[in-house]
Amino acid sequence: MDPVSMGVMLAVSTAVSAAGAMQQAEAQSASYRAQAQAQDYNATVARNNAQVASEQANAQEEAQRRHFNALQGQANAGIAQSGTGFDGSNLDLLKQNAVNNELDALTIRYEGDNKAKGLMAQSQLDTYGAGVSRMNASSATQAGYWNAGSQLLAGATKYKYYDTTGKLT
């Protein structure tokens, strides 16, 4: 093969290698960016779900308190109708009902808070993961530039060696 053709082939090969390195880096970077978008979306969904869980727990707690108030009203009416009075065991029963209701309402609130906290923790983890994915995307692009530069430098070195010796090894 004549020296000019060999030099052209070497230049083309080097350019293709460098372009391939850039294309591979861009594909990897795009994949990381897509990952970051998915993680951002998941973080938003988890935050929204945490808000919904909190609102649902508040609504359930209020429903529990309303339900208790209705039952306690019925108990008061029953005691009043019986004529046994609101002291002694009747008073103890009303107090115990109130204590049990408060425990039920607080349990509902506690479970809702825990669910919301878990969802917020997931949201924060997804947000962190999105940041890492964005950093990886940037690093992949930068690595592609370095790899392409390395390909070009290697090609230039081979060409220089070929040029001075008249043969390529």
Side-chain angles (χ1 to χ4, degrees):
M1 182 176 287
D2 68 86
V4 172
S5 297
M6 190 62 145
V8 169
M9 273 184 41
L10 184 58
V12 169
S13 171
T14 299
V16 167
S17 292
M22 287 302 302
Q23 189 174 30
Q24 181 181 6
E26 184 51 39
Q28 188 175 13
S29 181
S31 175
Y32 283 129
R33 287 191 306 271
Q35 241 178 8
Q37 286 178 333
Q39 290 165 321
D40 283 335
Y41 174 79
N42 290 341
T44 298
V45 168
R47 273 192 307 276
N48 291 344
N49 287 343
Q51 181 64 33
V52 168
S54 182
E55 290 169 1
Q56 285 176 338
N58 289 340
Q60 289 171 348
E61 180 183 356
E62 289 303 314
Q64 171 66 28
R65 291 182 191 284
R66 283 191 305 276
H67 179 71
F68 167 74
N69 288 337
L71 291 178
Q72 195 76 331
Q74 290 174 355
N76 284 335
I79 291 171
Q81 189 175 20
S82 73
T84 57
F86 288 93
D87 55 357
S89 61
N90 286 339
L91 180 61
D92 291 342
L93 178 65
L94 293 173
K95 284 181 180 179
Q96 188 59 49
N97 286 346
V99 167
N100 289 343
N101 175 66
E102 187 61 22
L103 289 173
D104 289 345
L106 292 175
T107 298
I108 291 168
R109 182 188 304 169
Y110 176 75
E111 289 171 352
D113 286 349
N114 279 344
K115 184 175 181 180
K117 285 177 186 175
L119 289 165
M120 285 304 294
Q122 183 61 51
S123 172
Q124 291 168 348
L125 183 62
D126 288 335
T127 298
Y128 174 78
V132 169
S133 292
R134 277 189 281 282
M135 285 185 348
N136 287 340
S138 177
S139 294
T141 300
Q142 191 174 41
Y145 284 122
W146 283 105
N147 193 7
S150 173
Q151 296 289 332
L152 291 172
L153 185 60
T157 302
K158 284 180 186 176
Y159 182 78
K160 177 67 174 163
Y161 180 76
Y162 171 77
D163 190 38
T164 59
T165 63
K167 60 183 178 178
L168 182 62
T169 58

